[in-house]
Amino acid sequence: MENMEKFIFGKLTLDALPHLWYTIGATASILLMGIVFAIILTKTKLWGWLWHEWLTSTDPKKIGTMYLIFAALMFFRGLIDAGMIWIQQAMAADSTGYLSADHFQQIFTSHGDIMVFFVTMGIFFGLMNWIIPLQIGARDLAYPFVNSLGFWLTVAGGILINLFFVVGGDFANTGWLAPAPLSELEFNPGVGVDYLIWSLQLSGLGSLLAGINFIVTIIKERAPGMTLMKMPLFVWTSLCGMLLIITAFPVLTATTLLLWLDRFFGMHFFTTGFGGNQMMYFNLIWMWGHPEVYILVLPAFGLYSEIVATFSQKKIAGYTSMVIAALSITALSYLVWLHHFFTMGAGADVNSFFGIVTMLIAIPSGVQVFNWILTMYKGKVIFASPMYWFMGFVATFMLGGMTGVFMASPPADFQVHNSLFLIAHFHTMIVGVALFGSFAGITYWFPKIMGFTLNERLGKYAFWLWLIGFFVSFIPLYLLGFKGATRRLDHYAASTDWQPLYITAAIGFIIITCGILMQIYQLIVSIKERKLHLDTTGDPWNGRTLEWSTTSPPPHYNFAVIPTVSGRDPFWEMKLQGVQKGRRPGKDYPQKNYPEKEYSEKEYKDILLPKNTAMGIYISAFAFVFGFAVVWHILWLATIGLVGTIVCVIIISFDEHREYILPAAEVAQNEASIKSLVQG
Amino acid sequence: MAKWQKDKVAKTTAMKIIRFIIVLLVITSAAFATFFILKSDSTLLTHPKGVIARDEFHLMLTNVFHMLIVIVPTYILLFVVAWKYRAKNSSKLDRSQAEYDPDKSPGIFGELILWIIPSIIVASMATITWDATHDLDPYRPLKSEVKPLQIQVVALNWKWLFIYPEQGIATVNFVQFPERTPVHFSLAADGSPMNSFWIPQLSGQIYAMTGMVTPLYIMADGPGVYAGKAAEINGQGYADMVFVAKSTSQSNFDSWIVSVKQSPLQLTNNTYNELLRPSENNPTTLYSSVEEGLFNKVVLKYMHPMHPTHHMYLNHMDSHMEHKCAH
C-alpha cells in the first residue's frame, strides 16, 4: 500500500498543500487572478481570439509582446521579493524581523532567479523579437515555430518557479545559483532546489532555442545590401549576446543536470565527500554565469547606441569601434569567470590573470562611453524620455564600472567579496544598464509596437523617481559593504551600526516603487489619451533605421516590399534623398513629413508567412509536466511528460505545411487600406 | 518684449536657479554623509587594524585614484556635452545650429586615442594588480622576526572551531592571539558547505571547505577586539555564525592559555561529534585539551571513500593516520 502510494505520488503528500501564510496568500491570489481572467474572457467571448491570435501565433511581433507581458508579470513577483528583503533587513537589528531565516533565504533566491531569467532576459527577448526583424528588413525570424517553442518553454519555467507556492511551499534557500554543496541533498533534502533546477532547465532551453534562432536570423535574413558592417548596433550587440547564449547556456544545463544527478541518483559530482568537488560547481556555474551578465547588458548597450544617435540626430560616433568593443566584450566575458571566487584560494598567478582580464573589459566599455558622448558632440540632442534613461544609464554605468574594476583587483576583492558592496555593484549594472535600458527601449519602441507614443511628462517623472530611488537604495549598500555587512543576512547585531543605512535603502525601495506606480499610471494615461499621441507616420522620433520605415504598428508581414539597404542608417538616408533638393541637411534635418515612397502594384510579390501552431504550447506543457514530476519523483508522470515531449517534436518535424502564401493582390489591398487609414 | 513676458522669463530663470541650488545642496550633503560614514569607526574597511587589511585598503585607494583620472573628466564631459548640444539651447541657438554636423565622427585617429586612454590606465593598474596579488597572496607567510602562531580553523554548522595545535587547546566562536605576531590560520570545514572566513579589520576573506586546507596569514597592529564572520551563505544559522577575534599582548595571551587549560571541557572524538551537530548561536566555548591530530582527521575524512559519518569512521581514521605516519 505504502509502496503504491509512493509510486503514484512520489514525494508528494498532503503536507505539500499550502499551509503557511505566504503560500496560502500566493495561492489564493493566483487562483483569484486566474478566475477573474477566465470570467473576463468568457464574458467577452475572447477565448478563441486569445488562442488563435496570440497564444498559438508564430509572428515574432506577437511573441515579442507576450514576452514583454510575461516579463512584466514576473517583474512584480521579483519586486515583491525585493520589498520583503528590504523590509526584513531594515527591521532585523537585534531582532529576527518578520521572516524566518529559511523563508528569507528562499526570498532572495527566487528574487535573483526571477529577475535574471524571466524579467531581464524576458524583456530583451521581447524587444529583440519585435525589433530585430524590422531593423534588418526581414519579415520573420528564421525559425518561427522554434521562436514560439522557446517562448513557451520560458513560460513553463516561469510557472514552475512559482508553483512551489501551490505545491510544496518550499523553494531553494541557497542563493540564485544554487551553489553546491549547499544545494546538495546533504544540506537541502527538500524539493526547493529541484524546483529551481527544473525551472532553469526549461527556461534555459527556451533561451538557447531563442539564441540559435536570432543568430540564424541575423546571419541569413538581412535585407539586400545590409552587410554585417551596415547592421544597426542593436542588432550587433544582440548578435553578440546570442553568441554568448548558445555557448554559455549549455554549460548551465549541464551543470544543473549534474547537480540533479547528485540529488536524484545519489551521484557525487559536487558533494562534500566521495571525491565530489564543490569547487568544480563554482567554476562551472560561473563559466555560464559571467557570460550571462553580458547576455543581459550587451543588447542594452546596442539599444543605447540607437537611442543616442536618434535623439542627437546624428550618426553614431565610431561605429567600427563600437562593433569591435562589443565583440571584445563578448570574447573577454569567457575569460573572467574566476573573479567571482578569488577568495577560493586559487593562488596569486591564477588570481592575477583573471583580475587583469577583468580590468581589460573596462577598455571597450570606456570606448563605448566616449563614443556615446562624442555622438552627442555637435549633435542636436532632443531630451525625450528615452534620452533621460540614457543619461541616467551612463551616470550609473560609470559608477558600476568603477566599482567593478575596484573588485577586479583580487586583494581588494578579498575585502568586499560576498559583502553588500558586491550586491550594490551588480545591481548598479543590472538595474542601471539592463533595466534602465529596457525602459529606454520600451519607451523608444512603444509607438512602433502600439501605434502611439507614451506620455512624455509622466515618463520623465517615472525616470526621476527611479534614478533617485536607485541611488538612495544602492549607495547605502556600497557603504554597508565597507562596514563589513555580508550579503544575505536575515538579521544582525544593532551594535554594527548598519540599521540606519538599511532603513535608507528601504526608503529608496519605496521611491523606486513610486517610480513603478508612475510607469503604470503613465501606461494607463497614455492608453486613454492615445488619440492625442497617435503615430501616423511610423516615425515619431525622426529615426534612422529600417524599423521606422514601416507603419506603426507594422503589418504582420512587416514590409510590403523588402527594402534595399546602402548605408548604416538606411531610413535616414532615404529621408535625406527625399528632402535634399534646395535644403541644407544641416539646417533642415530630415523631418517627419518625408515623401512616402510609392510602390506600384507590380512591385508587390507573394509573401510566404508561417502558419500558427499550438505545438509549442503542447511541447512546453509536456516538458512542464516532466519537470514537475521529476521534482516530486513521480516516475510514471515523468515518463508521460518525456514521451509526450518527444512525440510532439517528432510530429511537428514531419509537418511540412507550416507556411502559407499571402497573395500579392492581398498585400496591395492591405497597403492601400493602411494608407487611406493614415491619411484619413 | 512685454512686461509680463519679461516677468515670466525672470520667474522661470529664478526657478531654474533655485532648482539647481537644491540639487547641488542634496548632492553635497549626500557626499558629506558618505564621507562621514566612511570616517566613522564602525566602518571596518576604512579602519584596518592589521598589516594585510591596511595594505588591501591602500590598494583600494590607489585603484580608485587611478580610475578617477578617467571617470571624473568623463562625467564632466558627459553633462557638458549633453547640455551644450541640447536642441533647446535657445541662448546660443545660432551657434549651436552652426555647429550641428550630423556626420561628425572622430575618425580613425580619434578612435585610436579613445582606445589608448583607458588602455594606459588599465595597463598601469594591471601591473599594480599583479604585484599586489602576489604580495597579498593568502598563501604567502608574513615577514616578521616573531615565529608565527598556528591556529587551525574548522567551519562547522553553524560555528567556528579554533584549534591551537601547539598549545593543545581549542575554542568555539572566539579566537585570541598576541599582537604583532603573525598568525597562520589553516582553514577547513566539516559537515558544512562552502564557508568564508572573514575578519574585516585584519584581512580579507578566504573560503573554508571540506576536504582541503586553505591558508590565511594575519598580523594585528595592537591589542583590540575584532568582529569575525562567515561570509558565504551556508544555511539556517548563517547570520549568527559570527565570532570574536581578540589580539592582546604576549603576556596576556600566555596567561589566557593558562586559564583555558583550567577549563573542564575537553575536545575528544566524542565531544567533537557532538559539536558537529548543527546548532545556531553557539556561545563561546573553551576546551582545555584537543584530541591529537583532530584537524588532520577532519580534513582527510572527506578524502576517504567510506561514508563520512561520524564515530566509527573517526576511529578508523586513527589507524589510517598512524599507517601514514609509519611511512
Side-chain angles (χ1 to χ4, degrees):
Chain A
M1 187 62 202
E2 205 174 296
N3 275 343
M4 192 66 189
E5 207 171 280
K6 207 168 176 195
F7 175 74
I8 296 174
F9 294 110
K11 287 166 86 176
L12 204 54
T13 60
L14 282 178
D15 293 339
L17 288 174
H19 58 277
L20 300 159
W21 63 267
Y22 57 95
T23 52
I24 294 172
T27 309
S29 57
I30 290 169
L31 283 178
L32 196 72
M33 278 195 292
I35 291 168
V36 169
F37 195 59
I39 289 175
I40 292 173
L41 283 178
T42 315
K43 281 261 180 188
T44 51
K45 300 199 173 106
L46 286 177
W47 282 106
W49 167 81
L50 183 70
W51 180 260
H52 295 297
E53 288 291 312
W54 286 95
L55 303 186
T56 59
S57 175
T58 51
D59 180 354
K61 295 185 285 300
K62 287 188 172 158
I63 290 174
T65 307
M66 289 195 288
Y67 261 118
L68 290 175
I69 293 170
F70 171 69
L73 289 175
M74 294 301 266
F75 181 66
F76 289 108
R77 167 72 212 288
L79 188 75
I80 291 169
D81 287 340
M84 289 176 82
I85 294 168
W86 257 312
I87 293 168
Q88 167 76 10
Q89 292 193 318
M91 284 167 67
D94 277 346
S95 88
T96 51
Y98 71 109
L99 298 171
S100 68
D102 184 43
H103 188 189
F104 178 79
Q105 290 166 353
Q106 291 181 30
I107 291 172
F108 65 64
T109 305
S110 65
H111 168 76
D113 284 321
I114 284 176
M115 286 303 200
V116 168
F117 287 95
F118 300 106
V119 179
T120 320
M121 289 187 80
I123 293 175
F124 279 113
F125 277 137
L127 287 176
M128 281 157 62
N129 259 301
W130 256 99
I131 300 306
I132 283 184
L134 288 169
Q135 279 196 334
I136 61 173
R139 293 211 166 96
D140 202 344
L141 292 191
Y143 309 117
F145 163 71
V146 172
N147 193 19
S148 159
L149 177 60
F151 169 70
W152 285 109
L153 281 172
T154 309
V155 173
I159 296 173
L160 200 60
I161 209 171
N162 283 300
L163 192 71
F164 79 92
F165 280 125
V166 186
V167 189
D170 171 39
F171 193 63
N173 59 3
T174 53
W176 72 291
L177 287 175
L182 181 59
S183 54
E184 292 285 358
L185 225 43
E186 184 184 358
F187 303 105
N188 251 305
V191 293
V193 176
D194 298 301
Y195 266 126
L196 192 154
I197 291 174
W198 286 98
S199 167
L200 297 200
Q201 288 287 358
L202 295 182
S203 64
L205 191 59
S207 304
L208 183 63
L209 292 177
I212 295 168
N213 207 345
F214 280 114
I215 289 176
V216 178
T217 308
I218 294 170
I219 299 295
K220 297 293 285 183
E221 306 277 302
R222 296 192 310 277
M226 186 179 277
T227 56
L228 282 176
M229 288 311 276
K230 284 184 185 139
M231 293 198 308
L233 281 169
F234 179 64
V235 179
W236 256 118
T237 56
S238 298
L239 178 64
C240 294
M242 296 304 110
L243 286 171
L244 287 175
I245 283 190
I246 62 161
T247 40
F249 265 76
V251 181
L252 174 74
T253 306
T255 312
T256 45
L257 200 66
L258 292 179
L259 177 62
W260 176 75
L261 289 175
D262 277 6
R263 291 176 59 85
F264 192 82
F265 290 110
M267 294 187 175
H268 291 279
F269 290 105
F270 312 120
T271 52
T272 49
F274 302 96
N277 189 340
Q278 45 190 296
M279 298 187 289
M280 184 58 92
Y281 188 88
F282 274 63
N283 275 284
L284 288 174
I285 202 77
W286 282 115
M287 246 176 240
W288 158 80
H290 198 85
E292 168 69 11
V293 177
Y294 286 95
I295 292 166
L296 301 180
V297 297
L298 271 169
F301 287 156
L303 191 156
Y304 288 121
S305 300
E306 303 285 316
I307 286 176
V308 72
T310 301
F311 290 97
S312 303
Q313 309 187 66
K314 199 167 158 265
K315 76 171 187 188
I316 188 85
Y319 175 92
T320 315
S321 264
M322 294 300 254
V323 172
I324 296 170
L327 287 171
S328 38
I329 290 175
T330 309
L332 287 174
S333 73
Y334 293 116
L335 297 173
V336 295
W337 77 87
L338 193 127
H339 73 208
H340 295 274
F341 45 90
F342 284 140
T343 46
M344 203 177 262
D349 289 349
V350 173
N351 278 356
S352 326
F353 170 79
F354 281 94
I356 291 169
V357 176
T358 308
M359 288 177 179
L360 288 182
I361 294 186
I363 300 173
S365 307
V367 170
Q368 285 188 326
V369 172
F370 296 147
N371 271 321
W372 286 322
I373 295 175
L374 284 173
T375 305
M376 293 195 284
Y377 174 69
K378 294 209 169 182
K380 267 189 185 179
V381 191
I382 299 167
F383 279 94
S385 51
M387 206 56 197
Y388 275 55
W389 290 110
F390 167 78
M391 292 297 286
F393 145 72
V394 181
T396 45
F397 178 53
M398 283 201 279
L399 174 70
M402 196 168 119
T403 54
V405 175
F406 181 93
M407 286 192 298
S409 176
D413 181 69
F414 292 160
Q415 279 287 27
V416 288
H417 182 60
N418 273 336
S419 77
L420 287 175
F421 187 92
L422 167 72
I423 306 300
H425 161 71
F426 74 68
H427 279 90
T428 310
M429 289 320 229
I430 292 179
V431 177
V433 181
L435 208 57
F436 282 14
S438 51
F439 294 147
I442 288 170
T443 321
Y444 179 56
W445 283 313
F446 192 84
K448 187 51 57 188
I449 295 171
M450 297 297 285
F452 56 93
T453 48
L454 285 168
N455 185 308
E456 276 287 294
R457 192 170 46 91
L458 294 175
K460 285 174 184 172
Y461 290 165
F463 164 77
W464 284 116
L465 285 168
W466 258 102
L467 189 78
I468 294 165
F470 171 79
F471 279 108
V472 176
S473 39
F474 289 103
I475 296 293
L477 297 199
Y478 281 118
L479 295 172
L480 276 168
F482 267 80
K483 279 179 169 296
T486 48
R487 66 195 294 198
R488 293 162 173 169
L489 289 178
D490 56 285
H491 64 271
Y492 48 91
S495 57
T496 50
D497 228 6
W498 295 342
Q499 199 179 20
L501 286 168
Y502 271 126
I503 291 174
T504 317
I507 293 169
F509 172 73
I510 294 169
I511 302 174
I512 291 178
T513 311
C514 293
I516 293 162
L517 292 176
M518 186 62 78
Q519 285 174 312
I520 297 170
Y521 181 62
Q522 178 200 20
L523 188 65
I524 295 169
V525 168
S526 306
I527 291 173
K528 270 191 175 168
E529 293 177 347
R530 65 187 176 281
K531 295 250 159 67
L532 295 175
H533 307 293
L534 276 187
D535 171 29
T536 52
T537 59
D539 179 26
W541 310 114
N542 193 10
R544 315 176 66 81
T545 35
L546 283 179
E547 77 267 32
W548 305 110
S549 71
T550 63
T551 51
S552 297
H556 57 297
Y557 44 78
N558 287 358
F559 301 95
V561 174
I562 296 289
T564 306
V565 176
S566 58
R568 276 173 194 161
D569 295 311
F571 185 50
W572 181 264
E573 279 153 27
M574 283 180 207
K575 288 190 283 187
L576 268 184
Q577 282 162 9
V579 294
Q580 233 169 15
K581 279 176 190 163
R583 292 180 177 187
R584 287 171 297 138
K587 185 149 189 168
D588 313 306
Y589 50 86
Q591 270 298 352
K592 285 162 197 165
N593 304 319
Y594 61 96
E596 190 94 33
K597 190 169 181 195
E598 297 286 339
Y599 292 107
S600 65
E601 299 263 330
K602 275 180 198 162
E603 279 177 279
Y604 295 124
K605 293 204 169 66
D606 292 351
I607 296 174
L608 198 64
L609 287 168
K611 278 184 194 166
N612 286 359
T613 169
M615 220 33 141
I617 299 181
Y618 299 148
I619 293 175
S620 306
F622 278 118
F624 173 81
V625 167
F626 173 73
F628 175 79
V630 173
V631 167
W632 288 100
H633 295 200
I634 310 172
L635 292 184
W636 62 270
L637 194 60
T639 316
I640 292 177
L642 192 61
V643 171
T645 312
I646 294 169
V647 168
C648 283
V649 171
I650 292 172
I651 292 173
I652 187 89
S653 306
F654 284 95
D655 180 2
E656 288 180 0
H657 307 286
R658 300 216 301 261
E659 282 157 332
Y660 69 98
I661 289 170
L662 189 71
E666 222 168 290
V667 177
Q669 205 183 346
N670 198 27
E671 286 295 299
S673 73
I674 290 172
K675 201 159 284 169
S676 67
L677 207 72
V678 168
Q679 283 160 0
Chain B
M1 210 185 278
K3 189 174 177 294
W4 66 270
Q5 276 174 319
K6 272 183 195 165
D7 284 353
K8 202 177 171 189
V9 168
K11 216 172 168 186
T12 45
T13 325
M15 281 289 287
K16 268 183 189 164
I17 290 170
I18 290 171
R19 210 192 295 167
F20 185 71
I21 290 170
I22 291 174
V23 169
L24 216 61
L25 273 178
V26 169
I27 291 175
T28 350
S29 47
F32 269 108
T34 308
F35 177 74
F36 283 112
I37 288 168
L38 287 177
K39 217 169 161 276
S40 79
D41 284 343
S42 61
T43 304
L44 307 179
L45 263 52
T46 52
H47 295 84
K49 301 285 186 209
V51 56
I52 298 281
R54 195 169 41 252
D55 286 356
E56 283 168 344
F57 178 56
H58 288 162
L59 177 67
M60 289 178 193
L61 291 178
T62 317
N63 283 344
V64 167
F65 284 130
H66 266 86
M67 286 184 283
L68 287 179
I69 296 173
V70 186
I71 295 277
V72 171
T74 314
Y75 263 113
I76 295 171
L77 216 63
L78 170 70
F79 290 106
V80 167
V81 169
W83 180 255
K84 188 167 174 220
Y85 293 98
R86 72 196 192 281
K88 276 192 199 158
N89 196 346
S90 53
S91 59
K92 295 172 190 165
L93 187 73
D94 298 329
R95 220 185 109 208
S96 87
Q97 285 218 338
E99 280 191 38
Y100 175 55
D101 182 357
D103 293 323
K104 179 84 182 165
S105 203
I108 193 152
F109 287 107
E111 286 298 321
L112 269 179
I113 293 170
L114 296 188
W115 283 86
I116 288 168
I117 296 168
S119 302
I120 292 170
I121 301 288
V122 168
S124 148
M125 287 179 68
T127 50
I128 295 173
T129 301
W130 180 271
D131 292 343
T133 309
H134 285 79
D135 287 345
L136 295 170
D137 186 11
Y139 286 80
R140 192 183 168 116
L142 292 175
K143 279 191 199 110
S144 169
E145 315 233 304
V146 190
K147 187 175 157 278
L149 172 69
Q150 304 290 336
I151 300 180
Q152 297 158 337
V153 185
V154 186
L156 304 166
N157 268 358
W158 287 276
K159 61 239 152 199
W160 294 100
L161 171 66
F162 299 91
I163 300 169
Y164 293 70
E166 288 152 356
Q167 287 75 12
I169 61 157
T171 56
V172 170
N173 284 349
F174 177 83
V175 60
Q176 186 165 337
F177 39 81
E179 56 177 329
R180 289 195 288 275
T181 305
V183 181
H184 174 208
F185 288 114
S186 304
L187 304 159
D190 192 6
S192 180
M194 201 171 275
N195 286 275
S196 194
F197 178 83
W198 191 23
I199 310 172
Q201 285 186 295
L202 296 180
S203 99
Q205 60 196 283
I206 207 83
Y207 287 170
M209 294 168 277
T210 51
M212 63 198 97
V213 182
T214 36
L216 182 66
Y217 286 86
I218 61 155
M219 182 157 68
D221 296 336
V225 178
Y226 313 106
K229 48 195 91 197
E232 178 84 21
I233 178 85
N234 55 8
Q236 291 294 295
Y238 166 62
D240 287 320
M241 196 169 156
V242 292
F243 62 94
V244 174
K246 190 174 177 185
S247 72
T248 55
S249 63
Q250 182 68 44
S251 56
N252 274 353
F253 176 73
D254 293 337
S255 55
W256 177 72
I257 295 287
V258 172
S259 72
V260 176
K261 289 265 184 204
Q262 322 273 305
S263 166
L265 300 172
Q266 295 181 319
L267 195 61
T268 60
N269 274 343
N270 284 335
T271 44
Y272 178 76
N273 284 336
E274 270 167 40
L275 198 61
L276 200 52
R277 285 202 200 105
S279 64
E280 294 175 38
N281 240 328
N282 272 65
T284 299
T285 319
L286 307 171
Y287 297 98
S288 54
S289 72
V290 184
E291 181 93 15
E292 190 77 16
L294 179 68
F295 185 73
N296 282 341
K297 267 188 267 178
V298 164
V299 176
L300 285 172
K301 188 168 159 180
Y302 290 93
M303 299 180 177
H304 201 263
M306 240 183 77
H307 195 278
T309 37
H310 311 322
H311 189 65
M312 191 188 90
Y313 165 78
L314 278 177
N315 287 338
H316 182 83
M317 285 310 299
D318 281 339
S319 58
H320 183 80
M321 288 291 294
E322 279 157 23
H323 185 70
K324 256 189 104 172
C325 293
H327 282 273

